[in-house]
Amino acid sequence: MGADDVLLEIEDLRTHFLLDDGVVCAVDGVDLRVRKGETLAIVGESGCGKSVMARSILRLVDPPGQIEGGTITLHRDGGPVELVGAGQKLLREIRWNDIAMVFQEPMASLSLVHTIGSQIVEAVRLHENVGKAAARKRAIDMLDRVGIPMPQRRVDSYPFELSGGMRQRAMIAMALACRPSLLIADEPTTALDVTTQAQILELLRDLQDDFGMAIMLITHDLGVAAQVADSMAVMYLGRVVEYGTAEQVLSAPRHPYAQALLRSMPRLGQARQRRLTAIRGMVPPPYARPGGCFFHPRCDHVMAGRCDTVAPSLIPVDDREVSCLLYEEDK
Ligand SMILES: Nc1ncnc2c1ncn2[C@@H]1O[C@H](COP(=O)(O)OP(=O)(O)OP(=O)(O)O)[C@@H](O)[C@H]1O
Ligand SMILES: [Mg+2]
C-alpha cells in the first residue's frame, strides 16, 4: 500500500502527566499509521499508554496531562490537517465528523439526563446543516442499523433504560452518525459478555464495510485482534515496539516483548494446546523508566552494554517495523 492510503499518521507523539512526584511519560515517542478503511489493533499490557495515545489523537487528555511533542496528521479529502496544536474550532469540526471514539464503558460518554435520540440529534446537528426532523430520522436509522429493536421507540429512551450491550450499540450509533473516516474503539467489548462481545465485533465489521471507515481497535484480547485486525501495533511503556500486518505479528512476532506478550495472552482456539507464560519481571514504575531499550531489564535476549544504553528506533524487519537492537546489528 502506498502513502496515498494513509489516513492518520502519528510521529514521535509524547504525552506526559506532570505530577507533584514526577513526570509520567504515558506516551513516549509513538510512531504509527492508520490506513484508510483498515482495522488496526493496538495491544499491550495494562498501563502501556494505549488509552492516553487514543485520547491524544482527539486531544481529550486533561491536565496535568499534556502533549509534549510530536505530530498527528489527519489526511482529509480537503488536504492534511495537524491535530497537535490545532485550535478548538478545528477540533470540534474533526471530532465525530472525521474521528469518533467509543469507550469501554458507554455510560462514561453518554449523558444520563438526555435521551439516546436527542444526543445523536445534537451530534449530527452540530456538524451538519440538517433540520431536527431529518436528524431524528438519521438517529432512528442509525439505531436500526446497529441492531437496536424498535428504534422508533428506543430513540426516546434514556441510557439507563438500556442493557449494557444495547448501550454500547447506541454509543456506536452515535459515533457513526456523522460518518467518520476513523473510529477509535478503546476496549469496546471488554465490559460485555462473550456472546454480546461477538455480536458487537460483527456489527463493527459490517459497519466498516458499509461506511468504508478505518477502525483503531484497542484491545487486550489477541483473539479479538486476530478476528478483526488487518494491522497490529504492540506497545510497551508508551512506545510502539512492533508494527506490521496482524498476521505477521500474531504468527511470528519479532520483538522479544511481542513474543513474550503473545506467549502470555490467551488466544481463541489455542487455549488448550498452549501453556501461558507470564512475562519475566515487572513493568517498571512510571517515574523510573530504564535507560536504553525500555524492555531490556525483562528481555531474554538482552545484550549487556548495548540494550541498557542505546535506545532502539523502529526499523524495517521482515516486512514490518521493529524497535530492537537485535535487528539493528544485522544492518
Ligand atoms: N490522569 C492521569 N494522571 C496521571 N497518570 C495517568 C493518568 N492517566 C493515565 N496515566 C498513566 O499513564 C500511563 C498509561 O495509561 P493508559 O491508561 O494509557 O494505559 P492503557 O494502556 O490504556 O492501560 P489499560 O490496558 O489498563 O487500559 C499509566 O502509567 C497511567 O498510570
Ligand atoms: Mg486503557
Side-chain angles (χ1 to χ4, degrees):
M1 272 197 243
D4 286 354
D5 297 313
V6 174
L7 175 67
L8 188 82
E9 212 168 354
I10 302 178
E11 278 181 7
D12 196 25
L13 179 69
R14 279 167 282 123
T15 305
H16 297 173
F17 290 88
L18 313 174
L19 308 178
D20 291 342
D21 302 338
V23 178
V24 175
C25 303
V27 174
D28 206 15
V30 160
D31 293 305
L32 207 55
R33 289 178 297 285
V34 186
R35 297 193 173 90
K36 289 177 185 158
E38 77 161 349
T39 297
L40 166 71
I42 313 275
V43 301
E45 279 168 297
S46 185
C48 71
K50 304 181 293 292
S51 297
V52 173
M53 189 265 295
R55 298 181 72 87
S56 300
I57 296 171
L58 279 174
R59 299 272 310 279
L60 293 173
V61 179
D62 294 321
Q66 65 182 56
I67 297 180
E68 291 289 333
T71 55
I72 304 173
T73 313
L74 174 69
H75 295 274
R76 298 207 289 182
D77 288 342
V81 284
E82 180 48 51
L83 303 186
V84 173
Q88 284 305 318
K89 184 169 173 289
L90 180 60
L91 288 175
R92 268 198 302 273
E93 196 185 305
I94 281 165
R95 289 181 194 140
W96 299 106
N97 226 359
D98 292 289
I99 307 177
M101 189 157 172
V102 294
F103 302 90
Q104 173 174 344
E105 180 36 73
M107 284 310 232
S109 32
L110 289 170
S111 158
L112 303 183
V113 294
H114 296 100
T115 62
I116 301 286
S118 64
Q119 295 184 53
I120 300 180
V121 165
E122 195 189 315
V124 170
R125 296 198 66 204
L126 201 65
H127 291 103
E128 292 174 39
N129 191 13
V130 290
K132 261 193 181 153
R136 183 178 163 87
K137 180 164 182 316
R138 171 99 63 95
I140 294 171
D141 287 349
M142 281 310 300
L143 293 179
D144 188 34
R145 187 65 196 79
V146 299
I148 292 187
M150 296 181 294
Q152 297 89 340
R153 261 180 50 198
R154 289 290 190 210
V155 73
D156 295 316
S157 303
Y158 289 88
F160 61 82
E161 294 176 299
L162 302 178
S163 68
M166 286 298 151
R167 272 204 293 268
Q168 196 56 289
R169 285 172 192 267
M171 184 65 228
I172 292 169
M174 189 164 148
L176 300 190
C178 297
R179 311 256 162 158
S181 48
L182 173 64
L183 176 71
I184 301 176
D186 191 353
E187 305 271 7
T189 60
T190 310
L192 306 172
D193 63 77
V194 177
T195 314
T196 315
Q197 187 173 344
Q199 289 167 354
I200 296 282
L201 288 173
E202 183 75 40
L203 170 68
L204 282 175
R205 222 174 5 197
D206 284 354
L207 293 169
Q208 182 173 35
D209 285 345
D210 292 357
F211 290 33
M213 65 184 172
I215 299 180
M216 177 187 281
L217 178 71
I218 296 172
T219 178
H220 65 271
D221 187 330
L222 291 178
V224 166
Q227 227 179 323
V228 300
D230 302 300
S231 311
M232 195 159 153
V234 180
M235 283 183 68
Y236 185 68
L237 291 187
R239 284 188 187 162
V240 172
V241 296
E242 181 156 347
Y243 172 54
T245 68
E247 203 189 331
Q248 285 165 339
V249 178
L250 285 166
S251 63
R254 290 287 183 262
H255 193 286
Y257 173 68
Q259 293 169 348
L261 183 74
L262 261 61
R263 282 196 299 269
S264 76
M265 285 176 145
R267 266 156 98 176
L268 219 60
Q270 287 200 351
R272 281 207 205 122
Q273 298 97 346
R274 235 162 39 111
R275 171 179 279 219
L276 297 177
T277 33
I279 303 178
R280 186 166 65 80
M282 305 276 283
V283 176
Y287 304 121
R289 294 274 159 92
C293 168
F294 289 168
F295 188 58
H296 85 263
R298 303 174 74 191
C299 184
D300 291 335
H301 304 279
V302 62
M303 297 177 285
R306 262 180 76 67
C307 298
D308 48 353
T309 50
V310 184
S313 48
L314 275 173
I315 53 163
V317 177
D318 297 341
D319 295 329
R320 75 196 77 184
E321 291 169 18
V322 183
S323 73
C324 175
L325 297 178
L326 283 176
Y327 302 98
E328 284 190 14
E329 291 233 307
D330 296 346
K331 303 283 140 188

